[in-house]
Amino acid sequence: RGLGLSTIEGHLFQCVQKDLLSAEDLCPKAKLERAMAFVAKHPDQKLADLRQLCDEKFSYAELRLAQYVNNKV
C-alpha cells in the first residue's frame, strides 16, 4: 500500500498512548525523557518549531513521540 514512515510512526505512537506498546521500545528511555521535558517546556509549539528550538538534538519522530507520551500522562 506504500505507507509513509510518518504514517507508520503515528500508528506506533497511538499504540503507546493506548498502552499496547512501550515508548521505550521506540526510543531509549534517557533520550525520551529529555525530549518529553523539552516538549513540556514548549507546549504550544509545532513540530517544525520544536525541531529548530532544540538545535535538531531530537528527530521529528522523537519529538512527536514525546508529545504523544506527554498527552497520555
Side-chain angles (χ1 to χ4, degrees):
R1 190 174 118 160
L3 295 175
L5 180 59
S6 64
T7 301
I8 296 167
E9 290 169 345
H11 289 297
L12 290 171
F13 301 159
Q14 288 175 0
C15 288
V16 169
Q17 274 189 313
K18 296 176 183 178
D19 288 326
L20 300 172
L21 187 64
S22 169
E24 289 84 17
D25 291 335
L26 305 176
C27 181
K29 185 177 180 175
K31 188 160 194 178
L32 178 61
E33 288 174 349
R34 289 192 308 271
M36 288 172 58
F38 179 79
V39 167
K41 289 180 186 177
H42 307 281
D44 298 325
Q45 296 293 323
K46 296 179 182 177
L47 274 178
D49 297 330
L50 287 170
R51 181 96 159 110
Q52 285 183 331
L53 285 170
C54 75
D55 295 324
E56 300 185 5
K57 291 178 184 169
F58 304 109
S59 69
Y60 282 107
E62 291 164 339
L63 291 168
R64 194 169 170 207
L65 178 60
Q67 287 178 324
Y68 272 86
V69 174
N70 282 350
N71 289 332
K72 177 184 162 193
V73 177

